[in-house]
């Protein structure tokens, strides 16, 4: 959840040209989120989420339109590569972790299902949401790279031309990701209450304390890993690889074994390849690449809690 705070920090930095340090913007984000730590279920924040979804659509439309129309530069002014430019393996691998991160929504699927009024509709919602998500990701990547080439920033809203439009876009991004933090925080806290407290009967004061501790932990992590691209890649390798690639075939195998069924040959080949080859490769290579980039950014921009930009570029 630290990434949501880091993204909000970068959005505020892009929206307002001030000399405020990143850690201080993080404190502002904590202050904004603090009252929301009283929210105990998803139902209580449905309007926040609805507005957030609307903002996400407007953000995509505005960012792509502004990238395509603002300024005097032309796609020919930027370098484009059909194949990755010559660089070290770890540097070239870095975007793979970003791809994995982008599609690791499985990390919250079970919690969302538990909050649904009609869980039977879950498969339909997954198909619709992933179709829209993949389409938006593809369109954003194609438009961004076409107009900006290798100069496209890791965080697109920060690369817009200064002006009211840039401010509006980044404020909407900040709102969107702060709501996303709450959406992830509510089921996480609910799970911790079920396991270590009295579940739904836990007093609101204890719920608030637990939520606040997690919030401050996220703020601390944003200062330990204060660069947006590095945070994305670390989460993609550390969490996304097992969630997307390692655990599904393992769960499938365990489910078949529990029911006394044998795995088919094709399924066995696919699951073995995912679990024994692709998962360890993406996990180890992704972490090595991300931490190399993080060390380089620490060396160039200063250690944690230094006053610098969160882009790391």
């Amino acid at each position: 959840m630290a990434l949501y705070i880091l993204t909000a920090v970068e959005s505020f930095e892009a929206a307002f040209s001030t000399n405020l340090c990143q850690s201080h913007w993080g404190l502002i984000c904590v202050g904004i989120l603090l009252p929301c730590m009283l929210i105990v279920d998803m139902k209580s924040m449905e309007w926040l989420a609805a507005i957030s979804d609307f903002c996400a659509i407007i953000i995509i439309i505005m960012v792509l339109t502004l990238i395509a129309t603002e300024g005097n530069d032309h796609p020919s002014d930027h370098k484009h590569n059909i194949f990755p430019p010559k660089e070290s393996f770890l540097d070239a691998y870095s975007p793979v972790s970003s791809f994995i991160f982008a599609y690791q929504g499985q990390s919250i699927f079970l919690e969302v299902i538990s909050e649904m009024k009609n869980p039977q509709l879950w498969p339909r919602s997954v198909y619709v949401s992933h179709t829209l998500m993949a389409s938006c990701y593809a369109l954003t990547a194609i438009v961004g790279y076409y107009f900006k080439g290798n100069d496209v920033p890791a965080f697109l809203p920060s690369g817009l031309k200064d002006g009211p439009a840039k401010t509006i876009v980044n404020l909407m991004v900040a709102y969107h990701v702060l709501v996303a933090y709450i959406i992830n925080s509510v089921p996480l806290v609910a799970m911790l209450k079920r396991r270590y407290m009295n579940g739904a009967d836990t007093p609101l004061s204890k719920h608030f304390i637990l939520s606040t501790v997690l919030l401050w932990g996220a703020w601390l992590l944003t200062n330990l890993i204060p660069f947006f691209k590095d945070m994305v890649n670390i989460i993609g390798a550390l969490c996304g690889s097992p969630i997307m690639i390692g655990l599904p075939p393992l769960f499938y195998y365990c489910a078949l074994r529990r029911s006394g069924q044998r795995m088919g040959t094709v399924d066995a080949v696919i699951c073995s390849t995912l679990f024994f080859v692709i998962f360890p490769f993406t996990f180890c290579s992704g972490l090595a690449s991300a931490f190399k980039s993080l060390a380089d950014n620490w060396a160039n921009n200063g250690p944690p809690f230094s006053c610098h930009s969160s882009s790391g570029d």
Side-chain angles (χ1 to χ4, degrees):
M1 294 192 296
L3 180 64
Y4 297 122
I5 295 181
L6 185 59
T7 306
V9 166
E10 182 147 337
S11 299
F12 284 131
E13 287 180 332
F16 305 106
S17 299
T18 68
N19 294 322
L20 204 60
C21 292
Q22 178 186 337
S23 59
H24 297 157
W25 277 118
L27 290 174
I28 292 175
C29 292
V30 170
I32 295 172
L33 286 170
L34 205 55
C36 300
M37 296 302 97
L38 293 169
I39 297 176
V40 297
D41 55 51
M42 303 288 260
K43 180 69 176 178
S44 303
M45 56 167 300
E46 57 184 359
W47 282 107
L48 290 176
I51 296 173
S52 175
D53 290 341
F54 176 75
C55 285
I57 296 172
I58 300 301
I59 289 167
I60 293 172
I61 294 173
M62 288 188 65
V63 168
L64 296 183
T65 302
L66 291 171
I67 287 177
T69 59
E70 71 178 7
N72 297 318
D73 61 344
H74 188 269
S76 60
D77 298 329
H78 303 277
K79 186 176 181 180
H80 298 73
N81 295 94
I82 298 178
F83 300 101
K86 292 183 178 179
E87 53 188 348
S88 69
F89 168 76
L90 292 181
D91 290 334
Y93 183 85
S94 178
V96 177
S97 293
S98 298
F99 276 105
I100 294 175
F101 167 83
Y103 290 97
Q104 68 171 47
Q106 293 97 317
S107 59
I108 197 175
F109 278 5
L110 297 179
E111 288 81 0
V112 173
I113 292 173
S114 68
E115 295 283 342
M116 292 183 66
K117 182 181 297 184
N118 187 358
Q120 285 72 29
L121 295 177
W122 174 249
R124 183 190 304 174
S125 66
V126 170
Y127 296 143
V128 172
S129 63
H130 275 65
T131 299
L132 292 174
M133 184 171 64
S135 301
C136 290
Y137 282 160
L139 180 63
T140 303
I142 291 170
V143 173
Y145 192 72
Y146 173 76
F147 284 100
K148 297 298 182 181
N150 294 350
D151 298 319
V152 64
F155 184 67
L156 277 178
S158 67
L160 300 176
K161 184 179 179 181
D162 289 341
K166 180 178 181 179
T167 300
I168 292 172
V169 166
N170 279 281
L171 288 178
M172 286 195 295
V173 171
Y175 174 82
H176 176 67
V177 296
L178 290 177
V179 171
Y181 178 96
I182 304 169
I183 291 175
N184 282 265
S185 174
V186 169
L188 174 60
V189 173
M191 181 274 295
L192 293 174
K193 289 191 301 184
R194 286 194 301 268
R195 178 165 297 184
Y196 301 109
M197 298 181 183
N198 297 323
D201 296 327
T202 301
L204 183 59
S205 58
K206 290 185 178 181
H207 170 92
F208 180 77
I209 292 172
L210 178 57
S211 302
T212 302
V213 169
L214 293 175
L215 178 59
W216 281 110
W219 174 82
L220 178 62
L221 189 55
T222 64
N223 288 282
L224 295 176
I225 309 175
F227 308 108
F228 177 79
K229 183 172 68 174
D230 296 335
M231 176 79 80
V232 166
N233 291 340
I234 289 173
I235 295 175
L238 184 63
C239 302
S241 291
I243 290 172
M244 284 187 59
I245 303 171
L247 293 179
L250 178 62
F251 289 165
Y252 180 49
Y253 169 78
C254 292
L256 289 178
R257 185 175 181 181
R258 179 174 295 180
S259 63
Q261 302 179 53
R262 293 188 59 184
M263 185 179 293
T265 302
V266 175
D267 288 351
V269 171
I270 294 175
C271 289
S272 298
T273 302
L274 287 171
F275 189 78
F276 293 108
V277 179
I278 299 179
F279 163 54
F281 174 77
T282 56
F283 183 83
C284 296
S285 299
L287 282 181
S289 173
F291 279 113
K292 176 183 179 297
S293 176
L294 178 61
D296 292 341
N297 279 323
W298 275 342
N300 296 329
N301 298 280
F305 288 93
S306 298
C307 199
H308 49 65
S309 169
S310 57
S311 65
D313 295 329

